[in-house]
Amino acid sequence: MFVFFLAANAVSAQINKADSTVQVIAYWNKGEKQIYDLEKTKYKIKGTDTTKTNVINCRVAVTVLDSTANSYTIEWKYLYCKSSENNELYQKLNDLSKDVKFIYKISELGDFAELLNWEEISAFYREVFKKISKDISTEKPELKQLIKNLENSFCSREYIESAAIKDIQQFHFFHGIKVKLGEEITNKIPIPFPLTGSEIETDLTLFLDEIIEEDDNYIIRCRQIFDSEALKKVMGDYIDSLTKSMGAKKDFEFSKDMKVSGDIYTSALIHDSGWLVYGIHTTTMDFESSVTIEENTIEIVANE
């Protein structure tokens, strides 16, 4: 698996063995390219029953388009995506979106800076939805409205610069940090809530779990716990907004005693060159006795 890393410059090391510290930095050259497999899995847990609701498998090519003293320009291209969802609309959306390219900049350390081509992506998705509208029967008004709602969401700048680049943000999650083995970094940070984009405060704990010297790799882990009361408020606002948009009567209120909690767990195996070897990102939402889990994994492909 690690043959392609042999050309990495040993002088540009992230791992300091003398003091057991790691600084996550991208040491990449223009033209470098890696292939990754992504798997997105959703689970629902009710009591003792666990249901796997959907699985999406993608392959992506990550290419360094340009390298300067203080930044990199990266292309993130989906080669294919396949969904287990037995839904013609979503399967066509996955099929037609396979060639979408995200061009973005990262700092010299490797942390995400900005998306450069959101307008191009928006135009690409509009063409995708035109093809979907032609291919899928839209005699049912609710299906027409669903397609229109999806188009408005996928093509908006807000969606593209947040939800559409979640895989990219996971890929670069730990870049730029410096951490010492045996020490924890703790902080309170606000992050966008997955359903609304509204920011909600989390308690963050991050630590360097292991340095694997023989492979020039290391493992970093992070957990973010949502503030329970803030989470309850954001979810309540989301339900209000949803019922109003559907013209439905609101028939649900959060009570003070309701159990609502959530956390995000992120872990990564990273090579000394700054390339991700394996990463996992798990979001857990616990509402009363019903738990929803979204698990995203990214793994480098050793041989295409």
Side-chain angles (χ1 to χ4, degrees):
M1 175 177 284
F2 306 110
V3 170
F4 68 95
F5 287 129
L6 294 178
N9 188 344
V11 175
S12 301
Q14 303 178 74
I15 302 171
N16 188 331
K17 298 175 184 179
D19 63 1
S20 297
T21 60
V22 161
Q23 183 161 16
V24 189
I25 300 174
Y27 291 115
W28 304 339
N29 296 314
K30 181 178 179 180
E32 280 192 72
K33 177 181 176 181
Q34 308 296 347
I35 306 296
Y36 289 87
D37 280 340
L38 280 62
E39 183 172 279
K40 308 165 186 286
T41 308
K42 290 186 179 181
Y43 301 92
K44 281 189 177 180
I45 302 173
K46 186 78 172 178
T48 58
D49 297 327
T50 301
T51 305
K52 186 181 290 186
T53 58
N54 189 29
V55 180
I56 298 175
N57 293 101
C58 302
R59 178 159 288 189
V60 62
V62 183
T63 306
V64 181
L65 298 181
D66 195 20
S67 173
T68 68
N70 55 16
S71 70
Y72 296 92
T73 302
I74 308 295
E75 177 190 89
W76 179 283
K77 180 180 179 181
Y78 289 95
L79 305 179
Y80 67 76
C81 281
K82 298 177 182 179
S83 174
S84 66
E85 183 80 29
N86 188 21
N87 182 300
E88 183 184 8
L89 174 59
Y90 286 106
Q91 191 54 58
K92 281 188 174 293
L93 182 59
N94 282 327
D95 291 343
L96 293 171
S97 298
K98 66 179 181 179
D99 292 322
V100 64
K101 298 177 183 178
F102 294 84
I103 310 297
Y104 61 96
K105 276 195 173 183
I106 58 175
S107 74
E108 70 273 19
L109 300 180
D111 52 316
F112 184 85
E114 63 175 320
L115 182 66
L116 300 176
N117 68 330
W118 79 265
E119 292 176 323
E120 179 186 330
I121 295 166
S122 178
F124 177 90
Y125 276 131
R126 291 201 184 278
E127 289 301 314
V128 166
F129 279 102
K130 281 183 183 178
K131 292 177 182 178
I132 289 175
S133 297
K134 290 179 181 178
D135 294 343
I136 293 180
S137 173
T138 56
E139 294 177 0
K140 294 182 178 180
E142 60 270 24
L143 185 54
K144 286 184 178 180
Q145 189 59 48
L146 175 59
I147 292 174
K148 188 63 179 175
N149 290 344
L150 285 172
E151 180 179 353
N152 290 338
S153 176
F154 272 67
C155 299
S156 69
R157 181 171 186 173
E158 292 76 16
Y159 177 88
I160 292 168
E161 292 186 338
S162 57
I165 60 170
K166 284 176 66 176
D167 296 334
I168 295 171
Q169 290 171 331
Q170 178 185 345
F171 188 83
H172 294 281
F173 185 82
F174 291 110
H175 280 99
I177 70 163
K178 185 174 183 180
V179 61
K180 182 179 177 66
L181 195 65
E183 294 182 355
E184 288 187 349
I185 296 173
T186 59
N187 203 354
K188 288 186 178 292
I189 63 167
I191 63 172
F193 183 66
L195 294 174
T196 66
S198 302
E199 288 194 337
I200 183 169
E201 190 171 86
T202 65
D203 288 309
L204 176 146
T205 303
L206 183 150
F207 62 97
L208 176 62
D209 188 43
E210 185 179 1
I211 296 175
I212 309 168
E213 293 186 8
E214 60 269 27
D215 292 327
D216 289 328
N217 293 333
Y218 51 89
I219 299 171
I220 301 182
R221 305 187 193 277
C222 175
R223 189 182 184 195
Q224 295 163 275
I225 302 174
F226 288 104
D227 178 87
S228 182
E229 290 304 312
L231 181 61
K232 193 181 294 187
K233 182 181 184 307
V234 171
M235 289 180 70
D237 292 343
Y238 173 72
I239 292 171
D240 288 346
S241 174
L242 190 62
T243 51
K244 285 180 182 178
S245 67
M246 295 173 65
K249 182 181 178 181
K250 184 180 177 182
D251 58 1
F252 175 83
E253 290 283 356
F254 281 99
S255 72
K256 292 182 179 180
D257 298 327
M258 277 188 175
K259 179 186 175 185
V260 179
S261 62
D263 65 77
I264 300 173
Y265 172 78
T266 307
S267 178
L269 173 64
I270 305 172
H271 186 263
D272 198 46
S273 61
W275 286 106
L276 181 70
V277 179
Y278 178 83
I280 184 168
H281 181 87
T282 305
T283 302
T284 303
M285 292 293 171
D286 189 343
F287 177 65
E288 289 291 277
S289 59
S290 178
V291 181
T292 301
I293 300 173
E294 293 187 15
E295 183 177 274
N296 296 347
T297 63
I298 304 176
E299 184 171 12
I300 201 162
V301 178
N303 297 295
E304 290 187 69

